[in-house]
Amino acid sequence: QVQLVESGGGLVQPGGSLRLSCAASGFTFSNYAMSWYRQAPGKERELVASITSGVRSTNYADSVKGRFTISRDNTKNTVYLQMNSLKLEDTAVYYCSTKRRYTDYWGQGTQVTVSS
């Protein structure tokens, strides 16, 4: 069965950095695109970044472009989100996700809090 487990969240000061990890299992990881989403209190879940399976093309939300980097290690079945220059508005629960034709899979989420 598909399983996604996020880790690496925590409390960080504005301007600081954090690296999130998502360990995947239950499917052929290298064949699928992976994404990071986030959801802040009172807001809709939004797509933060995605990475394709082949040449590893990436896409980012405008709000994080230049600050966040998504990457993957297919030998470890893990996708990462490197977050630099963190802002207060980055505070949210971050989820990794992989999409299928009829089914979407989500991790349990990891809390990122940016606060001074």
Side-chain angles (χ1 to χ4, degrees):
Q1 55 183 307
V2 172
Q3 188 170 7
L4 304 171
V5 181
E6 300 96 334
S7 62
L11 177 64
V12 64
Q13 292 183 314
S17 297
L18 213 56
R19 188 178 78 156
L20 307 183
S21 299
C22 175
S25 61
F27 64 100
T28 305
F29 179 79
S30 61
N31 287 350
Y32 293 95
M34 300 294 297
S35 299
W36 285 97
Y37 287 75
R38 68 185 181 187
Q39 187 166 28
K43 294 186 177 181
E44 296 294 313
R45 187 171 298 187
E46 65 172 340
L47 178 64
V48 176
S50 60
I51 184 167
T52 63
S53 61
V55 296
R56 303 180 187 182
S57 299
T58 58
N59 285 282
Y60 299 93
D62 288 342
S63 59
V64 308
K65 199 167 298 181
R67 299 188 298 120
F68 290 12
T69 303
I70 188 171
S71 62
R72 65 192 297 158
D73 186 341
N74 288 343
T75 69
K76 297 181 178 179
N77 287 1
T78 301
V79 61
Y80 304 96
L81 186 67
Q82 178 66 48
M83 305 185 294
N84 299 326
S85 302
L86 283 161
K87 304 175 179 180
L88 296 180
E89 52 263 44
D90 295 319
T91 295
V93 178
Y94 284 72
Y95 301 88
C96 64
S97 176
T98 183
K99 308 287 187 176
R100 303 292 182 268
R101 190 175 305 170
Y102 303 112
T103 306
D104 300 336
Y105 296 99
W106 301 88
Q108 83 288 350
T110 185
Q111 176 71 49
V112 172
T113 302
V114 184
S115 176
S116 59

